[in-house]
Amino acid sequence: MRLPEEPDSSPQINIVPMIDVIFVVLIFFILSSLFLTPTEQLPVNLPEAATAESQLDQQHTIRVTLTVTGEFRLGNEATNLDSLPEQITSRRIGEQPIVVVIEADKAVPHGNVVTLMDRLRTIPNIQIGIATES
């Protein structure tokens, strides 16, 4: 009795589809990690406070950032001190009070923060908070 001969080719594992899947998963993780970075934060060294309370649970919170270079930013947009009240007023939703959180670098002179607060207090129905590190 004669048995059939073994085929000359040995079994192979094709790894090309596995490499494609690994690259797709890698691209997914790279792109998703780009969206995890905070985009609203500017590089500001906030002062520390032991009694800090979170104001971010308010519905209508606007961030104003004052950098070491004296630059004012409303959210992510650069602005100046003169047009700041009009820009904040235009973002008002109904009659709700606006909570403005000032993120001033700890190296900014105190007088600049007071000037900013004085200008913000001209806006009716506003609450002002100062951001700190806890």
Side-chain angles (χ1 to χ4, degrees):
M1 181 162 147
R2 191 164 195 195
L3 294 173
E5 294 183 17
E6 293 282 326
D8 290 339
S9 63
S10 62
Q12 297 178 4
I13 297 175
N14 191 1
I15 64 168
V16 173
M18 185 171 55
I19 292 173
D20 289 343
V21 169
I22 289 174
F23 277 127
V24 168
V25 170
L26 181 67
I27 289 171
F28 171 78
F29 283 118
I30 289 173
L31 290 178
S32 63
S33 69
L34 292 176
F35 292 110
L36 293 177
T37 58
T39 56
E40 287 191 37
Q41 298 293 328
L42 294 173
V44 176
N45 295 325
L46 297 175
E48 294 181 6
T51 59
E53 296 178 7
S54 176
Q55 296 293 323
L56 296 179
D57 55 348
Q58 302 285 335
Q59 288 184 338
H60 196 52
T61 303
I62 298 175
R63 294 183 174 275
V64 177
T65 306
L66 181 56
T67 62
V68 178
T69 60
E71 178 184 14
F72 293 97
R73 297 186 73 78
L74 181 60
N76 287 332
E77 303 170 7
T79 185
N80 59 16
L81 188 60
D82 295 329
S83 64
L84 195 58
E86 292 83 23
Q87 290 176 342
I88 291 175
T89 305
S90 68
R91 294 181 183 203
R92 182 181 298 274
I93 299 173
E95 294 299 318
Q96 295 179 355
I98 299 174
V99 178
V100 177
V101 177
I102 300 173
E103 294 178 340
D105 194 287
K106 60 182 167 183
V108 172
H110 181 67
N112 293 357
V113 178
V114 171
T115 303
L116 173 61
M117 290 175 67
D118 188 46
R119 187 64 55 98
L120 291 175
R121 293 190 78 188
T122 62
I123 302 170
N125 202 10
I126 190 170
Q127 298 175 357
I128 300 174
I130 297 179
T132 59
E133 290 287 332
S134 56

